[in-house]
Amino acid sequence: MTTRSRIVGTGHYLPARVVPNSEFEARLDTSDEWIRSRSGIERRHFAAEGENTSDLALAAARAALDDAGLAADDLDAVVVATSTPDLTFPAVATMVQAGLGMTRGFAFDIQAVCAGFVFALANADALIRSGAAQRVMVIGAETFSRIMDWDDRSTCVLFGDGAGAVILQAGEGTGSASDRGILAVDLNSDGRLKDILLVDGGVSSTGTAGHLRMQGREVFRHAVEKLTATAAKALERAGLETDALDWVVPHQANLRIIRGTAQKLGLPMERVVVTVQDHGNTSAASIPLALSVAKAEGRFRPGDLILTEAIGGGMAWGAVILRW
Ligand code: UT7
């Protein structure tokens, strides 16, 4: 018998304010046409003043508990992937724990930027398989609007705010690739690539939050190559071929990266969940948001094989193979 971590609930939350590309045309030397054709983004949501990452995360977590038919104290742990916490400390996850009224268990944050949700899923899976937890709420939540340089047209048009959550629960499997739940993970990082995507401030350096800086073309080049490699590695670990995949739920940074990776993997776009047009790049929130939206649309069937993959600052990247 093998312990498998299964998704038993999903939820998401998007702030009320929707910002179409046209809002940027009025302020910057840019166009709806440029943003759509270079990134696939048509609109994004921005959090209201006073609405923080923990508020977004809490709303997504509540939706996931409702979806699973569970109560807060049924959870053993809360893990939040974020690079835009409310405060330097404590962790956003502990704020969610308190907000849910959860009086037991433990909560902590993970910071792997846009790959954060993949790293959080892998860590939650390890907690479950080790027996340290039976049920873990895994959340990706971000307010990237707070770290934008609004005069930098090459970045500020690309990002959005939001949160997505999944509940992982221990289940029994046979150890084969036909089990439901997480089947394989692959995690990577290369700290030598720090300078192509970073936020230029922080607690111990500038004492400010800083602004996002990105060498877009360089990040793009690494993205397609590394996402294809990590997907192949995770599939190999699961003992599966690309053909076995029913769905890919990629990090939603750029439609051209999503298409390029699907093409390299030999997967038709009909099997790829795409939400970047509506959400922009929500960093660690993008995969759980896409999972929750696709589930709400009834796209996944029990037994479907799903690949998630993401890359971001660090650089950090990885993939998870799971059976729904
Ligand atoms: O989630 C974390 C990972 N992040 C990513 O995956 C992002 C990866 N990178 C990308 O998605 C793309 O590189 C971008 C969407 C950021 C840019 O697309 P690109 O095709 O790589 O464009 P580029 O950076 O090569 O810029 C092309 C031109 C430049 O003008 P010149 O130098 O060719 O005259 C830019 O100045 O487009 C210009 N440009 C803009 N023009 C209008 C840059 N931003 C804008 C803009 N509106 N907003």
Side-chain angles (χ1 to χ4, degrees):
M1 195 200 81
T2 306
T3 302
R4 295 289 194 191
S5 314
R6 291 190 191 136
I7 294 181
V8 295
T10 60
H12 65 272
Y13 173 79
L14 289 157
R17 186 173 162 223
V18 180
V19 177
N21 291 344
S22 55
E23 268 197 35
F24 292 98
E25 287 179 334
R27 260 191 335 102
L28 288 166
D29 180 15
T30 190
S31 64
D32 175 49
E33 200 282 319
W34 190 95
I35 301 168
R36 274 176 201 251
S37 64
R38 295 297 173 119
S39 71
I41 298 165
E42 297 170 23
R43 59 193 73 79
R44 75 286 290 141
H45 295 244
F46 284 155
E49 211 182 313
E51 192 178 34
N52 296 335
T53 296
S54 68
D55 300 314
L56 277 50
L58 182 58
R62 286 193 173 124
L65 282 175
D66 275 356
D67 185 48
L70 292 169
D73 274 337
D74 294 328
L75 300 170
D76 299 313
V78 178
V79 183
V80 175
T82 189
S83 306
T84 46
D86 300 27
L87 302 173
T88 301
F89 75 74
V92 171
T94 58
M95 299 178 189
V96 173
Q97 183 191 26
L100 289 175
M102 186 178 157
T103 54
R104 52 181 292 277
F106 58 96
F108 64 94
D109 287 359
I110 279 187
Q111 208 265 53
V113 201
C114 295
F117 185 75
V118 166
F119 278 63
L121 259 192
N123 276 275
D125 176 47
L127 286 170
I128 287 174
R129 282 188 297 102
S130 73
Q134 294 283 306
R135 280 200 202 100
V136 184
M137 173 78 76
V138 188
I139 303 170
E142 303 277 17
T143 47
F144 261 50
S145 63
R146 306 272 152 77
I147 51 167
M148 289 298 113
D149 173 350
W150 297 109
D151 295 324
D152 178 5
R153 66 176 184 170
S154 72
T155 54
C156 73
V157 301
L158 300 174
F159 293 87
D161 301 339
V166 308
I167 299 172
L168 282 186
Q169 179 174 300
E172 283 181 16
T174 61
S176 80
S178 59
D179 287 348
R180 291 179 69 189
I182 293 181
L183 299 176
V185 306
D186 180 58
L187 302 179
N188 311 268
S189 53
D190 184 346
R192 292 170 301 179
L193 297 169
K194 179 188 105 190
D195 292 340
I196 65 172
L197 177 52
L198 52 74
V199 171
D200 63 1
V203 183
S204 84
S205 53
T206 60
T208 62
H211 293 115
L212 184 143
R213 307 289 173 207
M214 179 166 73
Q215 295 172 30
R217 220 173 300 186
E218 271 299 287
V219 173
F220 194 110
R221 190 172 64 75
H222 284 287
V224 176
E225 172 205 315
K226 289 179 166 48
L227 289 172
T228 310
T230 189
K233 185 74 101 28
L235 275 167
E236 189 189 314
R237 289 210 176 121
L240 291 163
E241 304 284 336
T242 313
D243 284 354
L245 289 171
D246 295 293
W247 296 102
V248 182
V249 185
H251 170 48
Q252 310 282 322
N254 185 316
L255 185 57
R256 287 156 56 218
I257 294 176
I258 294 171
R259 283 209 179 110
T261 309
Q263 197 178 8
K264 279 203 161 194
L265 288 168
L267 282 166
M269 283 302 287
E270 298 81 64
R271 283 195 244 165
V272 183
V273 174
V274 180
T275 55
V276 70
Q277 70 283 356
D278 296 326
H279 303 161
N281 182 348
T282 58
S283 190
S286 91
I287 289 175
L289 260 168
L291 276 170
S292 179
V293 167
K295 188 201 167 184
E297 289 172 357
R299 295 172 83 176
F300 303 143
R301 286 155 204 263
D304 276 1
L305 190 71
I306 301 176
L307 159 73
T308 66
E309 27 95 333
I311 185 164
M315 298 194 91
W317 67 101
V320 172
I321 307 278
L322 63 94
R323 199 175 288 287
W324 194 253

